[in-house]
Amino acid sequence: MWRRPILRAVRQGGTLDIFAGPIGKRLVSVKVTDQKGRESDSATIVCADPGRRLPRPKKGEKYKIFMGWADEGLVLQGVFQVEKSSHRGDAGGGELLTIELRAADFIDKLKAKGRKHWDEDTTAGKLFQDLARQAGLSAVISPELASVKIGYRLQWDQSRIDFATEVAGEIGAIVKPAGGKLVVMKSGQGQSGSGKSLSPIIMRKRSGFGWEIEIDPRPEFGHVAAAWHDPKKGRRKLVKHATGREGPFHVLPHPFRSEEDAKRAAESEAYDLGNNSGSGHFESPGLPFARAEAPVIASGYGDGIDGRWVAESVEHECSKSRGFVTTVTVGSGKEKKD
């Protein structure tokens, strides 16, 4: 069945729909990329511009971009602000204006450096709330993570987003500015910062456009071990985390301050090792609700590919040449494909 894609971009602070004006009449493509972690989401608008007559948007102008299908309606893909524009051209393709935008949530205050320390009784919830407050944001933290005790932490001439990403990695989480908030969620769990499950992305070979998957032949580990110092017995101990695969032990090189820290580190490393054992992408007719970090269920591709993956990034593109297409870049997640 033929479906008609629909696309709209509205400038905030007014009623102007840029696709109803001169830019919309010369539109070539619009691409929105949703990133998994700390990277800023982005958008790109490409227009035919013979004679360079189109008005160049001002840096910092904000736009809401919607995509969808006529039989389902529009879905908001994000709020973006203009970063820069460029012109190019050749004899075959003519002259083009390219407008590059980034997520309006990725504010400069997150990139500002600072110095601050948190005491031994600090929880992940308190630390991330403090960092968000310094950047003028509120924090949305997965309930599973908010109460995790992380102990003493020192931020020393490090940007807020770098420091937040570093701490999140230690407790098996990812941090991302979105919707005017600093969102902290459990890595690989397919959940939003509020703890709600993200809708799975279904990829079926018979209804997809294409795919490319690389299976890394590196040895798989059966367990990850992390060391910690037991002050009561005055010796080092190991905690182990099963990966669900067959293989040797992988021991983390540095000791941790407590058994709980070691457990979280082992679990996080086990997930990262599994996620790196395969990667690639799937293409599909537009999936406007698909988001990074959501589980990806592949079927019909055969052994080694069929199963559950994790969306590392999701790219939605509307173009005159291909219509509405979604490309999902994946990591293998923690489940073996068979």
Side-chain angles (χ1 to χ4, degrees):
M1 182 182 71
W2 184 85
R3 303 175 74 194
R4 180 170 65 87
I6 50 178
L7 171 67
R8 189 182 182 201
V10 180
R11 186 169 69 190
Q12 284 192 299
T15 58
L16 177 64
D17 186 339
I18 66 169
F19 292 162
I23 289 181
K25 293 177 182 178
R26 298 184 181 183
L27 190 66
V28 175
S29 66
V30 176
K31 182 190 299 182
V32 172
T33 303
D34 180 40
Q35 302 284 0
K36 175 182 174 183
R38 58 156 290 174
E39 246 184 289
S40 175
D41 295 344
S42 61
T44 305
I45 300 173
V46 180
C47 304
D49 189 16
R52 293 187 57 186
R53 295 175 181 172
L54 287 176
R56 296 176 62 179
K58 297 178 181 178
K59 180 178 174 64
E61 280 189 338
K62 292 184 179 180
Y63 295 95
K64 288 183 177 180
I65 297 180
F66 301 81
M67 293 180 179
W69 297 99
D71 57 328
E72 293 179 347
L74 287 164
V75 178
L76 177 65
Q77 301 301 320
V79 181
F80 302 89
Q81 62 185 22
V82 176
E83 276 287 285
K84 60 182 178 180
S85 58
S86 60
H87 298 271
R88 71 179 190 273
D90 57 56
E95 294 179 284
L96 299 173
L97 167 65
T98 300
I99 305 168
E100 297 182 23
L101 309 96
R102 69 170 181 175
D105 303 301
F106 205 82
I107 60 176
D108 291 334
K109 285 185 178 180
L110 279 172
K111 297 186 292 183
K113 294 182 178 180
R115 296 180 181 181
K116 183 177 174 62
H117 78 275
W118 285 263
D119 296 328
E120 285 292 341
D121 60 349
T122 299
T123 62
K126 174 174 172 47
L127 184 142
F128 289 119
Q129 286 169 358
D130 287 348
L131 290 172
R133 194 179 304 113
Q134 292 169 23
L137 302 172
S138 58
V140 178
I141 305 168
S142 171
E144 184 181 352
L145 298 170
S147 59
V148 171
K149 290 186 177 181
I150 59 173
Y152 179 84
R153 286 293 187 278
L154 175 65
Q155 176 194 10
W156 186 264
D157 288 342
Q158 191 175 9
S159 73
R160 294 180 181 117
I161 189 63
D162 281 344
F163 182 68
T165 301
E166 179 182 293
V167 175
E170 293 177 9
I171 61 173
I174 60 173
V175 60
K176 177 179 179 178
K181 300 177 176 64
L182 192 67
V183 180
V184 185
M185 64 192 90
K186 186 80 171 176
S187 181
Q189 297 298 305
Q191 293 182 339
S192 65
S194 62
K196 294 182 179 179
S197 296
L198 296 172
S199 298
I201 303 170
I202 308 300
M203 288 293 177
R204 298 185 178 92
K205 181 181 177 182
R206 64 183 181 184
S207 58
F209 288 155
W211 75 95
E212 181 178 349
I213 297 295
E214 178 179 339
I215 306 300
D216 196 328
R218 75 180 67 185
E220 293 181 341
F221 294 97
H223 291 80
V224 174
W228 66 285
H229 181 73
D230 186 345
K232 293 182 179 180
K233 296 188 176 181
R235 62 187 178 92
R236 183 175 294 188
K237 292 184 177 180
L238 285 179
V239 295
K240 307 167 189 176
H241 183 83
T243 65
R245 296 172 165 86
E246 295 180 359
F249 271 82
H250 172 69
V251 182
L252 296 177
H254 304 295
F256 294 84
R257 292 177 297 182
S258 69
E259 185 176 11
E260 285 302 313
D261 286 350
K263 284 180 179 178
R264 286 193 294 267
E267 181 181 356
S268 179
E269 181 70 8
Y271 171 76
D272 288 341
L273 287 171
N275 201 41
N276 291 335
S277 64
S279 62
H281 69 269
F282 298 95
E283 280 190 349
S284 166
L287 301 168
F289 291 101
R291 293 293 180 265
E293 185 65 14
V296 180
I297 312 300
S299 63
Y301 299 92
D303 288 348
I305 298 179
D306 285 357
R308 183 184 175 104
W309 299 75
V310 175
E312 299 290 313
S313 68
V314 176
E315 180 183 282
H316 302 290
E317 182 173 20
C318 286
S319 66
K320 289 184 176 178
S321 60
R322 301 189 68 194
F324 183 16
V325 177
T326 294
T327 302
V328 182
T329 301
V330 297
S332 66
K334 60 184 179 180
E335 296 180 14
K336 189 173 180 179
K337 312 299 178 291
D338 53 37

